[in-house]
Amino acid sequence: MSELLKVEGLRKRFGGNEAVKNVTFTVGPGECVVLAGDNGAGKSTVIKMISGVYQPTDGQVFLNGDLLTGKTPEAVRTAGIETIYQDLALADNLDPGLNLYLGRERTIRRFGLPFLDRKTMRDDAVEVMKSLGIVVPDPAAPVREMSGGQRQAIAIARAIHWQAGLVIMDEPTAALGVPEQREVMALIHRLKAKGVGIILISHNLPDIFAAADRIIVLARGVVAGERRPAETNDEEIVRMMMGATL
Amino acid sequence: MDHVVQRNGTSFVKSLLNAWSWLFLVLILGFFEVYAQTQTGSTFLFRVYNLQSIAVAASQILLLALGLTLVIVAGHIDLSIAFSSGLASVVIALVIRAGGVDAGWGIVALAAFAGLAAAAIVGVVNGWLVAWLAVPSFIGTLGTYGVARGAALIMAGGATVSIRNEHARELGNGTLLGFPIPLVTAMVLALICHYVLKHTRFGAHTYALGANPASVERAGVDVKRHLIMLFVISALTAGMGGLIYTFRFSAGAANSGEPILLYAVAAVFIGGASLTGGQGTISGTVIGAFIIAVIQFGLVFCGLPPYWQFVAVGLVIIVAVLVDQSKDRIVGGKA
């Protein structure tokens, strides 16, 4: 498979503590790679080095063959890697359209002054959400009136709308109820169908097995192993997370 | 089907709660009109003097409340407006006085500019404290409240700076197309603030900031610059309040804004803003200011001692908060 993202020999040292050592993996287009691991295993540190929040002590990150290491989080986003955080980074009091365009709002001129083009932004939001299989009940309503799954979909819609090639999702189902977790899983499959690569961080085993094309298990900052879901089981993954097996 | 009916019912109550301040304004106007008709056989509403008095009082509240609305929507508060307006008032009076007895339009314009600049400095300091030093706005602007108060009183020598200037008097007490100039000023500024908050990217970022500052930061907006601009806008509209005061009464007074602070804050919350930020509109604040002005004038009109207005406005603030809370309960809480 061709490579969308390549992570090579990532290492991160905080003071005398080596949080991540020699992490290497790839993500292909339309592929979902799960980073699994217990708390403190280094999952968050790895994705922060990919998204530009942390600079690695050693190692490189490539997107479509271009070196990303050393770029700012903004530049990494522009290059096509969108990170969806647990807190969703949505403004609850704004409608889906404004959330989709937050920071890049569209305006039209009236009486020589720029006015927010709410209608176009709303229509675009409805459109992108539809491509994710989600019907927005009331496009003019603030997103706080939507379900957790629908809100998650807006965050994902933002990534699609701005043409991210790779989406990083940090525990996307952690704060959701069971039906909404299913919605998010369905969203991941639709994203994959669009050719978007996904790095999913999770320690929820059913989610891991439902979403992953490959599972990379981190334990104490190193890759404890890499498996395809079909060739492993819950028990082995848990053992690897605990650092028992290589 | 049942589900749909219930939804419509809920949204009807919701829109009623959203419109409560309008209804409340109509209700108190009706009350005072009925009182006037039955008790004195005269009219409350249909007398130009009454309407003008209410409008001018509302304008004075509004000028402090307009910029404050933006700050509150962004999830902050600005207490210093009480004295950025007073500081502007004193500076304007001092400049006009320095211009001599027959100071012309040029001096008046220069005075206005100097007064607004003084207010803007308070705004920049507020924004710097909140944005760069991460001081909570309540504490930071309480600090500048004190500093601006002292500065204004020191400059004024602890007294009122009276001026004698025809142009200034004309601006403060004249009319434009039959409307008092303070009202016209407040309404024009209200329109500008409404445009900024409702129709610009700056306004959208202001709402987002009140709901989730991280969302704005992540969207690549310069949050520090945005906060400084918000506090400068707040200080400038308050400075306009000081300007109108000075022109109306031909006097610069350090304390001119202080009694209005509570009313300005109240107007914003009666108008539907929330203490946690992310909510509020300029139209709501305008209604809030008029509700307070009608209560102030109406109670005096009814022959009650003026102190009752404090009680009445206090009660309205509490009602406004209760309405805000029940709105959340009906919509299902603000997650």
Side-chain angles (χ1 to χ4, degrees), chain B residues 8 38 44 77 85 101 133 138 150 162-163 181 207 222 236 244 269 272 276 281:
Chain B
N8 284 345
T38 55
F44 176 78
I77 187 96
S85 93
V101 188
L133 304 183
F138 188 92
S162 59
I163 54 172
I181 287 177
Y207 279 105
D222 188 341
L236 282 178
I244 292 293
F269 288 121
T276 49
T281 58

Side-chain angles (χ1 to χ4, degrees), chain B residues 315-332:
Chain B
L315 290 176
V316 175
I317 295 173
I318 293 170
V319 171
V321 172
L322 290 176
V323 169
D324 184 47
Q325 287 181 347
S326 60
K327 223 187 302 186
D328 289 340
R329 227 168 284 142
I330 286 167
V331 181

Side-chain angles (χ1 to χ4, degrees), chain A residues 74 77 82-83 85 87 89-94 98 102-105 107 113-116 118 144-145 151 158, chain B residues 14 195 198-201 204-205 207-208 210-212 214-221 278-279 331 333-335:
Chain A
E74 256 79 61
R77 274 179 83 199
E82 191 82 24
T83 310
Y85 289 99
D87 68 3
L90 293 180
D92 266 345
N93 53 351
L94 300 179
L98 274 169
L102 194 61
R104 304 181 255 205
E105 297 83 358
T107 57
L113 291 172
F115 278 72
L116 286 176
R118 289 176 194 268
R144 72 161 161 268
E145 293 183 17
R151 289 150 51 87
R158 205 188 296 183
Chain B
K14 213 173 96 187
Y195 163 74
K198 178 83 190 279
H199 293 296
T200 65
R201 302 181 60 200
H205 299 162
Y207 279 105
N212 183 0
S215 72
V216 192
E217 191 122 40
R218 256 185 55 74
V221 176
Q279 287 178 66
V331 181
K334 28 181 153 177

Side-chain angles (χ1 to χ4, degrees), chain B residues 17 24 52 55 61 78-79 84 119 147 170 185 196 236 243 277 330:
Chain B
L17 284 171
F24 190 77
Q52 281 198 350
I61 296 170
D78 185 356
L79 300 175
S84 35
V147 174
E170 206 175 296
T185 310
V196 168
L236 282 178
L243 179 138
I330 286 167

Side-chain angles (χ1 to χ4, degrees), chain A residues 124-136 190 194:
Chain A
D124 285 356
V126 170
E127 185 101 336
V128 189
M129 296 285 274
K130 211 166 94 187
S131 81
L132 287 171
I134 287 189
V135 177
V136 181
R190 289 201 196 91
K194 285 173 185 289

Side-chain angles (χ1 to χ4, degrees), chain B residues 28 33 40 78-79 104 136 147 163 176 192 227 232 249 291 323:
Chain B
I28 54 175
E33 181 62 21
T40 68
D78 185 356
L79 300 175
V147 174
I163 54 172
L176 192 72
I192 294 173
L227 282 171
V232 168
F249 300 109
I291 286 176
V323 169

Side-chain angles (χ1 to χ4, degrees), chain A residues 128-226:
Chain A
V128 189
M129 296 285 274
K130 211 166 94 187
S131 81
L132 287 171
I134 287 189
V135 177
V136 181
D138 178 2
V143 300
R144 72 161 161 268
E145 293 183 17
M146 301 172 75
S147 75
Q150 290 168 337
R151 289 150 51 87
Q152 189 74 244
I154 294 177
I156 294 169
R158 205 188 296 183
I160 293 173
H161 185 73
W162 299 104
Q163 315 208 313
L166 181 89
V167 173
I168 299 172
M169 301 171 90
D170 187 0
E171 300 276 4
T173 59
L176 301 180
V178 173
E180 294 171 339
Q181 289 180 7
R182 290 218 181 111
E183 272 179 55
V184 171
M185 283 299 132
L187 281 172
I188 288 176
H189 286 293
R190 289 201 196 91
L191 267 180
K192 284 167 57 175
K194 285 173 185 289
V196 177
I198 298 170
I199 297 177
L200 177 70
I201 293 206
S202 183
H203 52 224
N204 176 320
L205 288 166
D207 278 6
I208 293 173
F209 278 90
D213 293 310
R214 274 185 297 137
I215 304 167
I216 292 169
V217 182
L218 291 180
R220 296 193 200 103
V222 298
V223 176
E226 183 176 327

